[in-house]
Amino acid sequence: MLDIIRAVGLFAVTNVDDIVLLALFFARGVPPWRVVLGQYLGFAGILAVAVAAALGATLLPPSVLPWLGLLPLALGVKAAWQAWRGGDDPSPVATGALGVAAVTFANGGDNIGVYVPVFATTGITGYVIVFLVLVAVWCGAGRYFATRPAIAHALTRWGHVVLPVVLILIGVLILLGV
């Protein structure tokens, strides 16, 4: 049960930016089936890269694995720096499923950077199953938020602040072996 809670938490914090992207896709009138299909295709690509890299990382000595926490830590510091300097605006322009998939995959570099050390130091299968279920939840939430301007505004305004803090925290926890 604790692993499921961890997987849900990890997915939520690494995909805060996806909620904004999904809400923007839905708000711009992209047909829902294209958004959902594109999100699954893009996220499947993210998972494939992360799982392959994590399996490669398992060939490393166990004493080296905590050092993989430097990756999400560095991503968090980079994201904090970008947020401090004004950040980048992830405004999607794609309207087809493959375009949504491309935006999702391109936006998933931070996900891969966090998932690899987590997958290398824990189980992969449970996380992947939980993540794939949560993609559907995220799509539903994105559609819901697209129709709630105040919520979409809050995510757009504060998501860039929350993400770096969480990435840094994940990196520190992996470094500490927690």
Side-chain angles (χ1 to χ4, degrees):
M1 182 64 165
L2 185 58
D3 285 340
I4 292 173
I5 293 169
R6 286 182 183 159
V8 168
L10 182 62
F11 182 89
V13 299
T14 57
N15 287 287
V16 168
D17 51 344
D18 269 357
I19 287 276
V20 175
L21 289 173
L22 288 165
L24 289 170
F25 281 128
F26 285 119
R28 291 184 177 184
V30 177
W33 71 269
R34 289 184 180 172
V35 175
V36 173
L37 178 60
Q39 182 69 8
Y40 267 102
L41 290 172
F43 200 77
I46 290 168
L47 286 177
V49 171
V51 167
L55 291 174
T58 60
L59 301 174
L60 299 171
S63 61
V64 174
L65 293 179
W67 292 104
L68 293 174
L70 291 174
L71 188 55
L73 180 65
L75 290 169
V77 170
K78 179 184 175 196
W81 176 254
Q82 286 177 335
W84 182 72
R85 292 197 37 129
D88 53 334
D89 178 25
S91 299
V93 294
T95 58
L98 291 178
V100 172
V103 169
T104 299
F105 185 80
N107 190 48
D110 59 333
N111 298 49
I112 293 168
V114 174
Y115 297 166
V116 170
V118 171
F119 290 174
T121 57
T122 64
I124 294 174
T125 307
Y127 277 88
V128 169
I129 291 168
V130 170
F131 287 2
L132 291 175
V133 169
L134 289 176
V135 167
V137 173
W138 239 236
C139 288
R143 178 135 182 176
Y144 176 81
F145 291 147
T147 62
R148 308 298 182 280
I151 296 173
H153 176 72
L155 284 171
T156 301
R157 182 173 176 154
W158 296 107
H160 70 289
V161 173
V162 173
L163 181 64
V165 170
V166 171
L167 288 174
I168 290 168
L169 179 63
I170 289 170
V172 169
L173 290 174
I174 292 170
L175 282 168
L176 296 174
V178 177

